[in-house]
């Protein structure tokens, strides 16, 4: 153990003597800097497997809007079918517009009091702050118990609460007898 301590102390003294010479110290710093630059250059060639690939945001198409409407219809249909007196149910949902993206903005105020607002850009694209689902325009419900006022009221209230549309945008009708 004493021998190891003696070797470490000897190496430390040699290193200390080497750093006392200014020319050697400068050469050592230059060598360390060159080694750092060399490592940076080589790091560019190493593939980045740990970072996720950049994916393009999917444009809102008629198909995705239709998928959203279909999903909403099926969820409403299964819930309305559980309403007392509703019976068999069919639901149709119409949407006012497609999905809307809200982009992040940066507001800057200059010394003269004027303000300028600009969108935040990341990787040549605007930074999406939030995405709003399409707005429901109207809901039509056709069910076996649609001719009973109490059932119509329960279903209409349920649809209003779940979709956020007013009573004037919800209609409940009696299902025709199947042949």
């Amino acid at each position: 153990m004493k021998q190891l301590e003696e070797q470490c102390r000897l190496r430390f003294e040699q290193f200390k003597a080497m750093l006392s010479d200014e020319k050697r110290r400068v050469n050592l710093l230059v060598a360390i800097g060159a080694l750092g630059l060399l490592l940076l250059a080589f790091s560019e060639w190493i593939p980045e497997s740990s970072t996720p690939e950049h994916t393009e945001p999917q444009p809102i198409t008629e198909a995705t809007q239709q998928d959203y409407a279909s999903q909403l219809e099926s969820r409403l249909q299964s819930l309305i079918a559980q309403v007392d007196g509703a019976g068999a149910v069919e639901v149709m949902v119409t949407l006012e517009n497609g999905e809307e993206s809200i982009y992040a903005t940066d507001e800057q105020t200059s010394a003269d009091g004027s303000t300028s607002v600009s969108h935040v850009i990341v990787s040549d694209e605007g930074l999406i702050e939030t995405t709003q689902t399409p707005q429901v325009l109207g809901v039509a419900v056709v069910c076996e118990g649609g001719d009973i006022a109490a059932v119509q009221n329960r279903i209409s209230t349920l649809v209003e609460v779940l979709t956020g549309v007013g009573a004037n945008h919800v209609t409940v009708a009696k299902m025709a007898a199947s042949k």
Side-chain angles (χ1 to χ4, degrees):
M1 185 66 130
K2 286 195 179 247
Q3 186 180 9
L4 183 61
E5 285 180 21
E6 189 62 35
Q7 285 179 350
C8 285
R9 191 181 338 250
L10 183 62
R11 297 271 186 226
F12 182 70
E13 291 297 325
Q14 288 174 344
F15 185 69
K16 195 175 177 183
M18 185 177 77
L19 288 180
S20 66
D21 183 20
E22 190 168 334
K23 185 176 181 183
R24 283 187 176 176
R25 195 174 355 169
V26 170
N27 286 341
L28 181 64
L29 288 174
V30 169
I32 291 173
L35 181 64
L37 290 174
L38 191 62
L39 287 174
L40 281 174
F42 280 128
S43 71
E44 291 294 318
W45 294 329
I46 298 172
E48 296 180 21
S49 60
S50 63
T51 58
E53 291 183 21
H54 177 70
T55 56
E56 293 288 324
Q58 293 182 345
I60 304 306
T61 61
E62 187 66 34
T64 57
Q65 186 175 346
Q66 191 63 25
D67 291 343
Y68 176 73
S70 297
Q71 183 184 22
L72 189 57
E73 287 171 358
S74 65
R75 292 178 71 190
L76 282 171
Q77 185 171 337
S78 66
L79 193 60
I80 293 170
Q82 297 177 28
V83 172
D84 184 34
V89 178
E90 289 293 324
V91 177
M92 181 176 176
V93 174
T94 56
L95 302 176
E96 187 172 356
N97 55 14
E99 196 171 78
E100 185 178 346
S101 297
I102 308 296
Y103 293 94
T105 57
D106 183 29
E107 185 174 325
Q108 296 177 348
T109 305
S110 63
D112 65 356
S114 64
T115 60
S116 65
V117 178
S118 60
H119 286 92
V120 177
I121 306 295
V122 177
S123 300
D124 296 332
E125 292 182 11
L127 178 64
I128 296 176
E129 193 172 273
T130 185
T131 303
Q132 293 180 343
T133 56
Q135 297 290 79
V136 176
L137 183 62
V139 179
V141 178
V142 178
C143 62
E144 290 177 341
D147 60 336
I148 303 168
V151 173
Q152 285 180 343
N153 188 30
R154 285 192 294 261
I155 292 173
S156 181
T157 303
L158 179 74
V159 171
E160 289 172 42
V161 168
L162 293 175
T163 61
V165 297
N168 58 334
H169 294 279
V170 178
T171 184
V172 180
K174 178 169 177 51
M175 185 178 283
S178 59
K179 297 179 184 180

